[in-house]
Amino acid sequence: MTDVEKLRKILSESRRAVFFGGAGMSTESGIPDFRSAGGIYNQKLHQNFSPEEMASYSFFVKHPEEFFNFYRKRFIYLDAKPNAGHLALAELERRGNLAAVVTQNIDGLHQLAGSKNVYELHGSIRRAYCTKCGEMYGVEYILNNTPIPYCEKCGGIVKPDVVLFEEGLDSDILTAAIDAISAADTLIVGGTSLVVYPAAGLVDYFDGEHLILINKSETRADKFAELVIRDNIGETLNQAVM
């Protein structure tokens, strides 16, 4: 039996599977990752600031115009479409095999593919909110109101609803993600190096039967996994589900 056949059998018998994914899930949709050799954080984008500095909350506060210029160019990819992996996970949820998706990605592609129960640990580019009054906006407001988007109601700066460096994760979303992983019978970890905390620590809450890793590089959880597949996530999930 091949690894994909084993994965297909495990998923077909699961009733509370959870997918925990990172940037590798989105690269197959043409969205660059952050930490690889060619990723955003390893590019020289500004003569005075590193990409990680520009993705911080303090930079957003001190240099809002430069922050939004960087954010619009490097974080928003509205032309990206869900790949075969996103679609396979949505299908698993429809079949009753998958209980939730927990993602570190901010692109909203899981929802576009049809997944309903998605916990976005780091927020979403598709939402924004006024830092003063809390009024909610869509991504188009960020794109269309340059250089700095100000709230129509109170004049406050409208911030993307993404978790920047120096910001904590939303406690309600984090708790819900932990509860889903704790209750899972199968945990599929895909496209994440498991080095970004606190998100990477969520794997430690899994106490179910099947731990599956789909990742091109080694992670700290490989030694605990029942199945480790070194291949593209989208192709692997598609073969196992469709």
Side-chain angles (χ1 to χ4, degrees), residues 135-156:
E135 180 72 11
M136 296 300 297
Y137 293 89
V139 63
E140 292 79 11
Y141 197 82
I142 297 285
L143 290 172
N144 296 334
N145 289 272
T146 58
I148 301 171
Y150 290 102
C151 179
E152 293 177 338
K153 286 194 170 183
C154 74

Side-chain angles (χ1 to χ4, degrees), residues 33 154 169 239:
D33 65 10
C154 74
L169 303 187
Q239 291 177 2

Side-chain angles (χ1 to χ4, degrees), residues 20 174-185 187 197-209 211 220:
F20 177 72
L174 184 60
T175 298
I178 289 172
D179 289 346
I181 291 173
S182 299
D185 52 13
L187 179 63
Y197 284 81
L202 296 187
V203 177
D204 299 330
Y205 288 92
F206 177 65
D207 193 34
E209 189 174 354
L211 176 60
R220 66 177 183 84

Side-chain angles (χ1 to χ4, degrees), residues 42-164:
N42 288 308
Q43 297 176 18
K44 181 68 175 175
L45 304 174
H46 195 286
Q47 60 182 2
N48 297 321
F49 303 103
S50 71
E52 288 185 277
E53 285 179 284
M54 290 191 287
S56 69
Y57 182 75
S58 58
F59 190 84
F60 163 76
V61 173
K62 295 175 184 175
H63 310 279
E65 186 168 335
E66 289 177 294
F67 168 84
F68 280 105
N69 184 49
F70 165 68
Y71 179 80
R72 291 184 186 101
K73 289 180 179 178
R74 302 296 175 178
F75 281 73
I76 300 176
Y77 293 88
L78 294 185
D79 291 336
K81 299 291 188 291
N83 60 54
H86 295 107
L87 297 172
L89 291 171
E91 177 61 24
L92 280 175
E93 185 180 26
R94 281 192 290 270
R95 293 178 186 177
N97 303 116
L98 188 80
V101 169
V102 178
T103 181
Q104 298 174 78
N105 298 332
I106 58 174
D107 48 54
L109 293 183
H110 284 291
Q111 290 93 328
L112 285 181
S115 290
K116 305 297 184 188
N117 201 21
V118 182
Y119 300 114
E120 296 171 308
L121 296 174
H122 296 152
S124 173
I125 62 163
R126 299 176 189 275
R127 301 186 301 269
Y129 64 92
C130 175
T131 55
K132 189 174 179 181
C133 73
E135 180 72 11
M136 296 300 297
Y137 293 89
V139 63
E140 292 79 11
Y141 197 82
I142 297 285
L143 290 172
N144 296 334
N145 289 272
T146 58
I148 301 171
Y150 290 102
C151 179
E152 293 177 338
K153 286 194 170 183
C154 74
I157 294 181
V158 175
K159 178 186 176 293
D161 192 11
V162 300
V163 178
L164 303 175

Side-chain angles (χ1 to χ4, degrees), residues 14-42:
S14 297
R15 292 297 175 265
R16 298 184 311 280
V18 170
F19 177 81
F20 177 72
M25 188 71 197
S26 295
T27 53
E28 293 177 43
S29 291
I31 297 176
D33 65 10
F34 292 92
R35 299 175 187 280
S36 70
I40 292 172
Y41 293 157
N42 288 308

